[in-house]
Amino acid sequence: MTTAPIFSNHGCRLNAYETEAMKELATQAGVDNAIVVNTCAVTAEAVRKARQDIRKLRRDNPSAKLIVTGCAAQTEPETFAKMREVDVVIGNTEKMNPATWAGMAPDLIGQTEPVQVDDIMSVTETAGHLIDGFGTRSRAYVQVQNGCDHRCTFCIIPYGRGNSRSVPAGVVVDQIKRLVNKGYNEVVLTGVDLTSWGADLPATPKLGDLVMRILKLVPDLPRLRISSIDSIEVDENLMQAIATEPRLMPHLHLSLQHGDDLILKRMKRRHLRDDAIRFCEDARKLRPDMTYGADIIAGFPTETEAMFANSLALVKNCDLTWLHVFPYSARQGTPAARMPAVNGKRIKERAARLRAAGQAQVARHLAAQSGKTHKILMENARMGRTEQFTEVLFNKDQPESQIVQATITGIAGQQLTA
């Protein structure tokens, strides 16, 4: 009797995308009675949670082969190789290689190398594992870029993902055409450092070039969305698309990280506070219905109360709506881990204040939608999302995965009602 592999995903949307790809590879290779944990390395807490998950999965599945992969497995393979619950550790490159999964087939159990983690910096391509249709029935995610060439002082991810690699535009367009033919009404472009797309391709195109090409060559795609971007790297064509292409959704998630110039310099970011504010103002002038999300770190080393106040003020200065707040967590091997630390209780308190500011911004955004008519992509029979990615609840069933037009009648928690 065969048992389908169990997959446990940790971390970002890109990890979730790759977990779906691994499911396909494992199925094709005939892998069964296995557990695959796809780890995240963004914070020390993420690694701790992965270890907890591994122990629980082993207790619940004592006879299964347990495989650990992902960014934490890439950056610290010895941490997981030492765990008695773990059978095999594979790196981020290996997890996308069909030969790796062929080696996990039932007749080869016990013959697999326990640690398969090569030098991620030597990898030069990222197109080999594209899959069609990861996501819900309504929305698909397409990975167009992987890795990062920047070295922010707090970040371990480049050592887990390698240098930036781009999927050629033609490959991306062909995949999106297939997704549209399957009935998807929205596609989201994803990557580790999305605005670096194209830097390694011939003629070094920019992300805006890719967006314009998709919208031109896939005219039947109703909605295109882009995930987290670095605003300082936004190019002229992307701004043109924001201004002129209604099929590009008016919601951008920005990698801002902080609101104080000295902390931004210590983070080795490429923008200053005024750059972030200027970008948000410029994009909203081009698209008045634009909404922003943002990543912000609370309690970065050396952060004073005055410096934190600049981050808090940035929430209103940029009119941010959807905040991802990260209490700073030192990652061994990063320059920031050697900087003077902020007291842990103070970090938690500042993170809570940032989240409260974010909740106030969400409430303000929701209140402003009353009486407005939105085009809403239905994720299930009773819930969909506006073009700004706001959730809308319905009291009657709607056609799943379709775009419906409705007038907002009220608010329920952090959701709209229609």
mmCIF file of all heavy atoms in Angstrom, residues 259-309:
data_model
loop_
_atom_site.group_PDB
_atom_site.id
_atom_site.type_symbol
_atom_site.label_atom_id
_atom_site.label_comp_id
_atom_site.label_asym_id
_atom_site.label_seq_id
_atom_site.Cartn_x
_atom_site.Cartn_y
_atom_site.Cartn_z
ATOM 1 N N GLY A 259 12.118 53.420 8.596
ATOM 2 C CA GLY A 259 11.822 54.791 8.221
ATOM 3 C C GLY A 259 12.870 55.794 8.650
ATOM 4 O O GLY A 259 12.656 57.002 8.522
ATOM 5 N N ASP A 260 14.004 55.318 9.149
ATOM 6 C CA ASP A 260 15.063 56.215 9.608
ATOM 7 C C ASP A 260 16.284 56.061 8.706
ATOM 8 O O ASP A 260 16.751 54.939 8.453
ATOM 9 C CB ASP A 260 15.438 55.900 11.057
ATOM 10 C CG ASP A 260 16.472 56.853 11.611
ATOM 11 O OD1 ASP A 260 16.083 57.947 12.071
ATOM 12 O OD2 ASP A 260 17.678 56.515 11.570
ATOM 13 N N ASP A 261 16.843 57.174 8.251
ATOM 14 C CA ASP A 261 17.939 57.124 7.278
ATOM 15 C C ASP A 261 19.187 56.428 7.821
ATOM 16 O O ASP A 261 19.837 55.658 7.098
ATOM 17 C CB ASP A 261 18.305 58.535 6.819
ATOM 18 C CG ASP A 261 17.303 59.096 5.816
ATOM 19 O OD1 ASP A 261 16.456 58.313 5.333
ATOM 20 O OD2 ASP A 261 17.367 60.302 5.524
ATOM 21 N N LEU A 262 19.541 56.679 9.077
ATOM 22 C CA LEU A 262 20.748 56.053 9.615
ATOM 23 C C LEU A 262 20.570 54.539 9.742
ATOM 24 O O LEU A 262 21.486 53.772 9.406
ATOM 25 C CB LEU A 262 21.109 56.664 10.977
ATOM 26 C CG LEU A 262 22.415 56.154 11.612
ATOM 27 C CD1 LEU A 262 23.595 56.317 10.642
ATOM 28 C CD2 LEU A 262 22.691 56.880 12.926
ATOM 29 N N ILE A 263 19.401 54.116 10.190
ATOM 30 C CA ILE A 263 19.142 52.673 10.267
ATOM 31 C C ILE A 263 19.135 52.066 8.866
ATOM 32 O O ILE A 263 19.677 50.967 8.646
ATOM 33 C CB ILE A 263 17.812 52.396 10.987
ATOM 34 C CG1 ILE A 263 17.915 52.757 12.468
ATOM 35 C CG2 ILE A 263 17.419 50.922 10.840
ATOM 36 C CD1 ILE A 263 18.847 51.886 13.281
ATOM 37 N N LEU A 264 18.549 52.742 7.901
ATOM 38 C CA LEU A 264 18.550 52.233 6.527
ATOM 39 C C LEU A 264 19.976 52.056 6.012
ATOM 40 O O LEU A 264 20.280 51.073 5.324
ATOM 41 C CB LEU A 264 17.766 53.173 5.607
ATOM 42 C CG LEU A 264 16.244 53.153 5.783
ATOM 43 C CD1 LEU A 264 15.612 54.333 5.071
ATOM 44 C CD2 LEU A 264 15.653 51.838 5.282
ATOM 45 N N LYS A 265 20.858 52.984 6.348
ATOM 46 C CA LYS A 265 22.263 52.855 5.953
ATOM 47 C C LYS A 265 22.912 51.679 6.662
ATOM 48 O O LYS A 265 23.694 50.924 6.066
ATOM 49 C CB LYS A 265 23.015 54.151 6.249
ATOM 50 C CG LYS A 265 22.648 55.296 5.321
ATOM 51 C CD LYS A 265 23.388 56.580 5.686
ATOM 52 C CE LYS A 265 23.008 57.719 4.756
ATOM 53 N NZ LYS A 265 23.676 59.000 5.129
ATOM 54 N N ARG A 266 22.602 51.491 7.945
ATOM 55 C CA ARG A 266 23.165 50.356 8.687
ATOM 56 C C ARG A 266 22.593 49.030 8.204
ATOM 57 O O ARG A 266 23.229 47.993 8.325
ATOM 58 C CB ARG A 266 22.916 50.549 10.192
ATOM 59 C CG ARG A 266 23.798 51.658 10.778
ATOM 60 C CD ARG A 266 23.446 52.000 12.206
ATOM 61 N NE ARG A 266 24.368 53.024 12.707
ATOM 62 C CZ ARG A 266 24.185 53.726 13.817
ATOM 63 N NH1 ARG A 266 23.091 53.514 14.562
ATOM 64 N NH2 ARG A 266 25.071 54.617 14.196
ATOM 65 N N MET A 267 21.406 49.081 7.655
ATOM 66 C CA MET A 267 20.823 47.886 7.041
ATOM 67 C C MET A 267 21.430 47.606 5.662
ATOM 68 O O MET A 267 21.248 46.530 5.108
ATOM 69 C CB MET A 267 19.312 48.069 6.861
ATOM 70 C CG MET A 267 18.497 47.989 8.123
ATOM 71 S SD MET A 267 16.739 48.269 7.746
ATOM 72 C CE MET A 267 15.965 47.652 9.241
ATOM 73 N N LYS A 268 22.117 48.598 5.105
ATOM 74 C CA LYS A 268 22.671 48.549 3.754
ATOM 75 C C LYS A 268 21.559 48.496 2.711
ATOM 76 O O LYS A 268 21.661 47.814 1.695
ATOM 77 C CB LYS A 268 23.645 47.377 3.579
ATOM 78 C CG LYS A 268 24.737 47.639 2.548
ATOM 79 C CD LYS A 268 25.740 46.493 2.504
ATOM 80 C CE LYS A 268 26.784 46.728 1.423
ATOM 81 N NZ LYS A 268 27.734 45.597 1.344
ATOM 82 N N ARG A 269 20.500 49.251 2.998
ATOM 83 C CA ARG A 269 19.438 49.401 2.017
ATOM 84 C C ARG A 269 19.873 50.416 0.956
ATOM 85 O O ARG A 269 20.807 51.198 1.177
ATOM 86 C CB ARG A 269 18.145 49.872 2.692
ATOM 87 C CG ARG A 269 17.611 48.911 3.738
ATOM 88 C CD ARG A 269 17.165 47.602 3.125
ATOM 89 N NE ARG A 269 16.016 47.783 2.249
ATOM 90 C CZ ARG A 269 15.561 46.849 1.413
ATOM 91 N NH1 ARG A 269 16.180 45.688 1.306
ATOM 92 N NH2 ARG A 269 14.504 47.080 0.674
ATOM 93 N N ARG A 270 19.163 50.428 -0.166
ATOM 94 C CA ARG A 270 19.565 51.287 -1.276
ATOM 95 C C ARG A 270 18.679 52.530 -1.396
ATOM 96 O O ARG A 270 18.790 53.279 -2.349
ATOM 97 C CB ARG A 270 19.532 50.485 -2.587
ATOM 98 C CG ARG A 270 20.584 49.389 -2.590
ATOM 99 C CD ARG A 270 20.343 48.341 -3.629
ATOM 100 N NE ARG A 270 19.080 47.651 -3.481
ATOM 101 C CZ ARG A 270 18.815 46.757 -2.524
ATOM 102 N NH1 ARG A 270 19.735 46.472 -1.609
ATOM 103 N NH2 ARG A 270 17.649 46.157 -2.461
ATOM 104 N N HIS A 271 17.780 52.724 -0.434
ATOM 105 C CA HIS A 271 16.927 53.906 -0.474
ATOM 106 C C HIS A 271 16.984 54.625 0.874
ATOM 107 O O HIS A 271 17.411 54.044 1.879
ATOM 108 C CB HIS A 271 15.476 53.514 -0.792
ATOM 109 C CG HIS A 271 14.785 52.810 0.344
ATOM 110 N ND1 HIS A 271 14.886 51.452 0.553
ATOM 111 C CD2 HIS A 271 13.998 53.289 1.351
ATOM 112 C CE1 HIS A 271 14.178 51.118 1.620
ATOM 113 N NE2 HIS A 271 13.638 52.207 2.130
ATOM 114 N N LEU A 272 16.556 55.868 0.865
ATOM 115 C CA LEU A 272 16.396 56.646 2.082
ATOM 116 C C LEU A 272 14.910 56.922 2.301
ATOM 117 O O LEU A 272 14.070 56.631 1.431
ATOM 118 C CB LEU A 272 17.178 57.960 1.983
ATOM 119 C CG LEU A 272 18.707 57.810 1.862
ATOM 120 C CD1 LEU A 272 19.346 59.172 1.651
ATOM 121 C CD2 LEU A 272 19.291 57.116 3.091
ATOM 122 N N ARG A 273 14.611 57.471 3.441
ATOM 123 C CA ARG A 273 13.226 57.711 3.826
ATOM 124 C C ARG A 273 12.472 58.518 2.763
ATOM 125 O O ARG A 273 11.375 58.137 2.342
ATOM 126 C CB ARG A 273 13.227 58.459 5.160
ATOM 127 C CG ARG A 273 11.888 58.964 5.606
ATOM 128 C CD ARG A 273 12.008 59.936 6.768
ATOM 129 N NE ARG A 273 10.678 60.313 7.226
ATOM 130 C CZ ARG A 273 9.940 59.549 8.006
ATOM 131 N NH1 ARG A 273 10.387 58.388 8.448
ATOM 132 N NH2 ARG A 273 8.727 59.943 8.363
ATOM 133 N N ASP A 274 13.071 59.618 2.312
ATOM 134 C CA ASP A 274 12.403 60.476 1.330
ATOM 135 C C ASP A 274 12.173 59.764 0.001
ATOM 136 O O ASP A 274 11.210 60.072 -0.712
ATOM 137 C CB ASP A 274 13.205 61.758 1.105
ATOM 138 C CG ASP A 274 13.077 62.739 2.268
ATOM 139 O OD1 ASP A 274 12.204 62.525 3.136
ATOM 140 O OD2 ASP A 274 13.864 63.700 2.316
ATOM 141 N N ASP A 275 13.057 58.818 -0.349
ATOM 142 C CA ASP A 275 12.861 58.050 -1.584
ATOM 143 C C ASP A 275 11.562 57.251 -1.508
ATOM 144 O O ASP A 275 10.802 57.183 -2.487
ATOM 145 C CB ASP A 275 14.032 57.091 -1.812
ATOM 146 C CG ASP A 275 15.346 57.806 -2.045
ATOM 147 O OD1 ASP A 275 15.336 58.852 -2.721
ATOM 148 O OD2 ASP A 275 16.371 57.308 -1.548
ATOM 149 N N ALA A 276 11.311 56.631 -0.359
ATOM 150 C CA ALA A 276 10.100 55.825 -0.182
ATOM 151 C C ALA A 276 8.855 56.705 -0.260
ATOM 152 O O ALA A 276 7.868 56.358 -0.935
ATOM 153 C CB ALA A 276 10.153 55.095 1.155
ATOM 154 N N ILE A 277 8.895 57.834 0.434
ATOM 155 C CA ILE A 277 7.744 58.734 0.433
ATOM 156 C C ILE A 277 7.477 59.260 -0.980
ATOM 157 O O ILE A 277 6.329 59.278 -1.448
ATOM 158 C CB ILE A 277 7.979 59.898 1.411
ATOM 159 C CG1 ILE A 277 8.068 59.367 2.847
ATOM 160 C CG2 ILE A 277 6.865 60.941 1.295
ATOM 161 C CD1 ILE A 277 8.522 60.396 3.867
ATOM 162 N N ARG A 278 8.536 59.638 -1.678
ATOM 163 C CA ARG A 278 8.392 60.174 -3.038
ATOM 164 C C ARG A 278 7.795 59.129 -3.977
ATOM 165 O O ARG A 278 6.907 59.434 -4.791
ATOM 166 C CB ARG A 278 9.746 60.647 -3.566
ATOM 167 C CG ARG A 278 9.670 61.429 -4.875
ATOM 168 C CD ARG A 278 11.053 61.853 -5.350
ATOM 169 N NE ARG A 278 11.788 62.549 -4.293
ATOM 170 C CZ ARG A 278 12.868 62.047 -3.678
ATOM 171 N NH1 ARG A 278 13.333 60.856 -4.014
ATOM 172 N NH2 ARG A 278 13.481 62.738 -2.746
ATOM 173 N N PHE A 279 8.268 57.871 -3.872
ATOM 174 C CA PHE A 279 7.729 56.825 -4.744
ATOM 175 C C PHE A 279 6.234 56.640 -4.500
ATOM 176 O O PHE A 279 5.445 56.545 -5.453
ATOM 177 C CB PHE A 279 8.456 55.499 -4.534
ATOM 178 C CG PHE A 279 7.771 54.359 -5.236
ATOM 179 C CD1 PHE A 279 7.964 54.156 -6.589
ATOM 180 C CD2 PHE A 279 6.895 53.517 -4.552
ATOM 181 C CE1 PHE A 279 7.298 53.132 -7.258
ATOM 182 C CE2 PHE A 279 6.233 52.496 -5.210
ATOM 183 C CZ PHE A 279 6.439 52.310 -6.570
ATOM 184 N N CYS A 280 5.837 56.555 -3.244
ATOM 185 C CA CYS A 280 4.427 56.338 -2.933
ATOM 186 C C CYS A 280 3.567 57.485 -3.453
ATOM 187 O O CYS A 280 2.474 57.262 -3.996
ATOM 188 C CB CYS A 280 4.234 56.160 -1.428
ATOM 189 S SG CYS A 280 4.920 54.611 -0.786
ATOM 190 N N GLU A 281 4.057 58.710 -3.312
ATOM 191 C CA GLU A 281 3.321 59.864 -3.837
ATOM 192 C C GLU A 281 3.228 59.820 -5.356
ATOM 193 O O GLU A 281 2.160 60.060 -5.936
ATOM 194 C CB GLU A 281 4.001 61.160 -3.381
ATOM 195 C CG GLU A 281 3.865 61.436 -1.890
ATOM 196 C CD GLU A 281 4.663 62.653 -1.447
ATOM 197 O OE1 GLU A 281 5.516 63.125 -2.241
ATOM 198 O OE2 GLU A 281 4.452 63.129 -0.317
ATOM 199 N N ASP A 282 4.340 59.495 -6.015
ATOM 200 C CA ASP A 282 4.368 59.480 -7.487
ATOM 201 C C ASP A 282 3.445 58.401 -8.047
ATOM 202 O O ASP A 282 2.693 58.642 -9.004
ATOM 203 C CB ASP A 282 5.794 59.250 -7.981
ATOM 204 C CG ASP A 282 6.702 60.452 -7.744
ATOM 205 O OD1 ASP A 282 6.179 61.535 -7.412
ATOM 206 O OD2 ASP A 282 7.934 60.299 -7.885
ATOM 207 N N ALA A 283 3.504 57.205 -7.467
ATOM 208 C CA ALA A 283 2.671 56.106 -7.975
ATOM 209 C C ALA A 283 1.195 56.390 -7.745
ATOM 210 O O ALA A 283 0.355 56.079 -8.593
ATOM 211 C CB ALA A 283 3.071 54.789 -7.308
ATOM 212 N N ARG A 284 0.869 57.023 -6.614
ATOM 213 C CA ARG A 284 -0.542 57.314 -6.346
ATOM 214 C C ARG A 284 -1.058 58.446 -7.235
ATOM 215 O O ARG A 284 -2.247 58.475 -7.562
ATOM 216 C CB ARG A 284 -0.738 57.640 -4.868
ATOM 217 C CG ARG A 284 -2.211 57.679 -4.476
ATOM 218 C CD ARG A 284 -2.427 57.733 -2.979
ATOM 219 N NE ARG A 284 -2.561 56.403 -2.406
ATOM 220 C CZ ARG A 284 -1.794 55.951 -1.401
ATOM 221 N NH1 ARG A 284 -0.855 56.708 -0.893
ATOM 222 N NH2 ARG A 284 -1.987 54.740 -0.923
ATOM 223 N N LYS A 285 -0.189 59.359 -7.639
ATOM 224 C CA LYS A 285 -0.606 60.384 -8.602
ATOM 225 C C LYS A 285 -0.979 59.737 -9.929
ATOM 226 O O LYS A 285 -1.917 60.162 -10.606
ATOM 227 C CB LYS A 285 0.516 61.407 -8.810
ATOM 228 C CG LYS A 285 0.682 62.392 -7.659
ATOM 229 C CD LYS A 285 1.869 63.320 -7.900
ATOM 230 C CE LYS A 285 2.118 64.239 -6.713
ATOM 231 N NZ LYS A 285 3.367 65.047 -6.895
ATOM 232 N N LEU A 286 -0.223 58.709 -10.309
ATOM 233 C CA LEU A 286 -0.496 58.001 -11.559
ATOM 234 C C LEU A 286 -1.727 57.113 -11.444
ATOM 235 O O LEU A 286 -2.447 56.895 -12.426
ATOM 236 C CB LEU A 286 0.718 57.147 -11.949
ATOM 237 C CG LEU A 286 2.020 57.911 -12.233
ATOM 238 C CD1 LEU A 286 3.161 56.932 -12.473
ATOM 239 C CD2 LEU A 286 1.852 58.848 -13.424
ATOM 240 N N ARG A 287 -1.946 56.558 -10.244
ATOM 241 C CA ARG A 287 -3.060 55.632 -10.013
ATOM 242 C C ARG A 287 -3.683 55.965 -8.650
ATOM 243 O O ARG A 287 -3.254 55.452 -7.614
ATOM 244 C CB ARG A 287 -2.512 54.200 -10.033
ATOM 245 C CG ARG A 287 -3.564 53.110 -10.068
ATOM 246 C CD ARG A 287 -4.128 52.903 -11.483
ATOM 247 N NE ARG A 287 -5.111 51.843 -11.489
ATOM 248 C CZ ARG A 287 -4.840 50.565 -11.793
ATOM 249 N NH1 ARG A 287 -3.614 50.201 -12.116
ATOM 250 N NH2 ARG A 287 -5.784 49.660 -11.785
ATOM 251 N N PRO A 288 -4.657 56.862 -8.623
ATOM 252 C CA PRO A 288 -5.198 57.350 -7.355
ATOM 253 C C PRO A 288 -5.755 56.260 -6.440
ATOM 254 O O PRO A 288 -5.818 56.461 -5.224
ATOM 255 C CB PRO A 288 -6.319 58.313 -7.802
ATOM 256 C CG PRO A 288 -5.883 58.784 -9.148
ATOM 257 C CD PRO A 288 -5.226 57.590 -9.782
ATOM 258 N N ASP A 289 -6.164 55.115 -6.992
ATOM 259 C CA ASP A 289 -6.712 54.045 -6.152
ATOM 260 C C ASP A 289 -5.638 53.072 -5.654
ATOM 261 O O ASP A 289 -5.956 52.031 -5.096
ATOM 262 C CB ASP A 289 -7.801 53.278 -6.901
ATOM 263 C CG ASP A 289 -7.308 52.641 -8.197
ATOM 264 O OD1 ASP A 289 -6.219 53.032 -8.681
ATOM 265 O OD2 ASP A 289 -8.005 51.769 -8.744
ATOM 266 N N MET A 290 -4.370 53.435 -5.817
ATOM 267 C CA MET A 290 -3.268 52.563 -5.400
ATOM 268 C C MET A 290 -3.257 52.385 -3.880
ATOM 269 O O MET A 290 -3.436 53.343 -3.131
ATOM 270 C CB MET A 290 -1.936 53.153 -5.859
ATOM 271 C CG MET A 290 -0.715 52.331 -5.501
ATOM 272 S SD MET A 290 -0.641 50.770 -6.414
ATOM 273 C CE MET A 290 -0.147 51.375 -8.043
ATOM 274 N N THR A 291 -3.054 51.144 -3.434
ATOM 275 C CA THR A 291 -2.832 50.866 -2.016
ATOM 276 C C THR A 291 -1.470 50.206 -1.861
ATOM 277 O O THR A 291 -0.973 49.554 -2.784
ATOM 278 C CB THR A 291 -3.910 49.945 -1.420
ATOM 279 O OG1 THR A 291 -3.891 48.699 -2.121
ATOM 280 C CG2 THR A 291 -5.282 50.563 -1.505
ATOM 281 N N TYR A 292 -0.884 50.368 -0.671
ATOM 282 C CA TYR A 292 0.455 49.835 -0.416
ATOM 283 C C TYR A 292 0.462 48.918 0.801
ATOM 284 O O TYR A 292 -0.173 49.208 1.816
ATOM 285 C CB TYR A 292 1.452 50.970 -0.155
ATOM 286 C CG TYR A 292 1.569 51.973 -1.272
ATOM 287 C CD1 TYR A 292 1.093 53.268 -1.117
ATOM 288 C CD2 TYR A 292 2.148 51.628 -2.491
ATOM 289 C CE1 TYR A 292 1.195 54.195 -2.129
ATOM 290 C CE2 TYR A 292 2.249 52.552 -3.517
ATOM 291 C CZ TYR A 292 1.766 53.834 -3.332
ATOM 292 O OH TYR A 292 1.867 54.747 -4.353
ATOM 293 N N GLY A 293 1.221 47.852 0.667
ATOM 294 C CA GLY A 293 1.643 47.068 1.820
ATOM 295 C C GLY A 293 3.130 47.305 1.995
ATOM 296 O O GLY A 293 3.789 47.857 1.109
ATOM 297 N N ALA A 294 3.682 46.880 3.129
ATOM 298 C CA ALA A 294 5.115 47.086 3.333
ATOM 299 C C ALA A 294 5.648 46.166 4.415
ATOM 300 O O ALA A 294 4.935 45.800 5.350
ATOM 301 C CB ALA A 294 5.407 48.533 3.714
ATOM 302 N N ASP A 295 6.924 45.797 4.262
ATOM 303 C CA ASP A 295 7.667 45.096 5.305
ATOM 304 C C ASP A 295 8.398 46.139 6.137
ATOM 305 O O ASP A 295 9.099 47.002 5.590
ATOM 306 C CB ASP A 295 8.698 44.142 4.696
ATOM 307 C CG ASP A 295 8.061 43.031 3.882
ATOM 308 O OD1 ASP A 295 6.948 42.622 4.227
ATOM 309 O OD2 ASP A 295 8.680 42.591 2.900
ATOM 310 N N ILE A 296 8.264 46.065 7.457
ATOM 311 C CA ILE A 296 8.974 46.970 8.359
ATOM 312 C C ILE A 296 9.523 46.165 9.533
ATOM 313 O O ILE A 296 8.811 45.347 10.119
ATOM 314 C CB ILE A 296 8.078 48.111 8.871
ATOM 315 C CG1 ILE A 296 7.533 48.934 7.698
ATOM 316 C CG2 ILE A 296 8.847 49.013 9.827
ATOM 317 C CD1 ILE A 296 6.711 50.134 8.105
ATOM 318 N N ILE A 297 10.784 46.397 9.856
ATOM 319 C CA ILE A 297 11.450 45.709 10.966
ATOM 320 C C ILE A 297 11.458 46.618 12.190
ATOM 321 O O ILE A 297 11.836 47.789 12.104
ATOM 322 C CB ILE A 297 12.894 45.330 10.587
ATOM 323 C CG1 ILE A 297 12.885 44.311 9.437
ATOM 324 C CG2 ILE A 297 13.653 44.773 11.785
ATOM 325 C CD1 ILE A 297 14.266 43.987 8.891
ATOM 326 N N ALA A 298 11.038 46.085 13.324
ATOM 327 C CA ALA A 298 11.070 46.813 14.591
ATOM 328 C C ALA A 298 12.260 46.334 15.419
ATOM 329 O O ALA A 298 12.500 45.128 15.528
ATOM 330 C CB ALA A 298 9.777 46.586 15.374
ATOM 331 N N GLY A 299 12.990 47.293 16.002
ATOM 332 C CA GLY A 299 14.058 46.922 16.925
ATOM 333 C C GLY A 299 15.352 46.502 16.273
ATOM 334 O O GLY A 299 16.110 45.711 16.860
ATOM 335 N N PHE A 300 15.634 47.020 15.071
ATOM 336 C CA PHE A 300 16.937 46.733 14.463
ATOM 337 C C PHE A 300 18.039 47.231 15.395
ATOM 338 O O PHE A 300 17.872 48.236 16.089
ATOM 339 C CB PHE A 300 17.033 47.424 13.101
ATOM 340 C CG PHE A 300 18.275 47.091 12.330
ATOM 341 C CD1 PHE A 300 18.360 45.917 11.593
ATOM 342 C CD2 PHE A 300 19.373 47.941 12.349
ATOM 343 C CE1 PHE A 300 19.509 45.596 10.876
ATOM 344 C CE2 PHE A 300 20.526 47.641 11.651
ATOM 345 C CZ PHE A 300 20.593 46.456 10.911
ATOM 346 N N PRO A 301 19.190 46.554 15.444
ATOM 347 C CA PRO A 301 20.283 46.982 16.328
ATOM 348 C C PRO A 301 20.582 48.479 16.212
ATOM 349 O O PRO A 301 20.591 49.028 15.106
ATOM 350 C CB PRO A 301 21.462 46.139 15.847
ATOM 351 C CG PRO A 301 20.829 44.875 15.372
ATOM 352 C CD PRO A 301 19.539 45.315 14.721
ATOM 353 N N THR A 302 20.808 49.113 17.344
ATOM 354 C CA THR A 302 21.113 50.541 17.527
ATOM 355 C C THR A 302 19.878 51.430 17.395
ATOM 356 O O THR A 302 19.989 52.648 17.540
ATOM 357 C CB THR A 302 22.201 51.074 16.571
ATOM 358 O OG1 THR A 302 21.659 51.238 15.244
ATOM 359 C CG2 THR A 302 23.424 50.167 16.529
ATOM 360 N N GLU A 303 18.693 50.865 17.145
ATOM 361 C CA GLU A 303 17.491 51.677 16.966
ATOM 362 C C GLU A 303 17.120 52.381 18.274
ATOM 363 O O GLU A 303 16.856 51.737 19.287
ATOM 364 C CB GLU A 303 16.317 50.805 16.501
ATOM 365 C CG GLU A 303 15.024 51.581 16.265
ATOM 366 C CD GLU A 303 13.836 50.645 16.029
ATOM 367 O OE1 GLU A 303 13.342 50.058 17.021
ATOM 368 O OE2 GLU A 303 13.433 50.491 14.875
ATOM 369 N N THR A 304 17.095 53.715 18.246
ATOM 370 C CA THR A 304 16.641 54.501 19.387
ATOM 371 C C THR A 304 15.144 54.758 19.265
ATOM 372 O O THR A 304 14.530 54.470 18.224
ATOM 373 C CB THR A 304 17.371 55.855 19.437
ATOM 374 O OG1 THR A 304 17.003 56.605 18.258
ATOM 375 C CG2 THR A 304 18.888 55.667 19.479
ATOM 376 N N GLU A 305 14.555 55.331 20.310
ATOM 377 C CA GLU A 305 13.132 55.650 20.259
ATOM 378 C C GLU A 305 12.845 56.669 19.154
ATOM 379 O O GLU A 305 11.828 56.566 18.455
ATOM 380 C CB GLU A 305 12.671 56.196 21.615
ATOM 381 C CG GLU A 305 11.190 56.499 21.697
ATOM 382 C CD GLU A 305 10.299 55.269 21.524
ATOM 383 O OE1 GLU A 305 10.752 54.148 21.848
ATOM 384 O OE2 GLU A 305 9.145 55.430 21.053
ATOM 385 N N ALA A 306 13.751 57.616 18.962
ATOM 386 C CA ALA A 306 13.563 58.615 17.904
ATOM 387 C C ALA A 306 13.628 57.973 16.517
ATOM 388 O O ALA A 306 12.859 58.336 15.613
ATOM 389 C CB ALA A 306 14.615 59.715 18.029
ATOM 390 N N MET A 307 14.552 57.027 16.359
ATOM 391 C CA MET A 307 14.639 56.314 15.079
ATOM 392 C C MET A 307 13.377 55.496 14.825
ATOM 393 O O MET A 307 12.843 55.471 13.703
ATOM 394 C CB MET A 307 15.865 55.404 15.076
ATOM 395 C CG MET A 307 17.191 56.129 15.068
ATOM 396 S SD MET A 307 18.546 54.965 15.369
ATOM 397 C CE MET A 307 19.968 56.035 15.102
ATOM 398 N N PHE A 308 12.891 54.829 15.867
ATOM 399 C CA PHE A 308 11.659 54.054 15.731
ATOM 400 C C PHE A 308 10.490 54.969 15.374
ATOM 401 O O PHE A 308 9.632 54.603 14.555
ATOM 402 C CB PHE A 308 11.352 53.287 17.013
ATOM 403 C CG PHE A 308 9.982 52.670 17.006
ATOM 404 C CD1 PHE A 308 9.712 51.557 16.216
ATOM 405 C CD2 PHE A 308 8.945 53.222 17.761
ATOM 406 C CE1 PHE A 308 8.436 51.002 16.182
ATOM 407 C CE2 PHE A 308 7.672 52.674 17.728
ATOM 408 C CZ PHE A 308 7.416 51.561 16.945
ATOM 409 N N ALA A 309 10.467 56.163 15.974
ATOM 410 C CA ALA A 309 9.390 57.102 15.677
ATOM 411 C C ALA A 309 9.343 57.443 14.189
ATOM 412 O O ALA A 309 8.265 57.679 13.626
ATOM 413 C CB ALA A 309 9.563 58.378 16.508
#
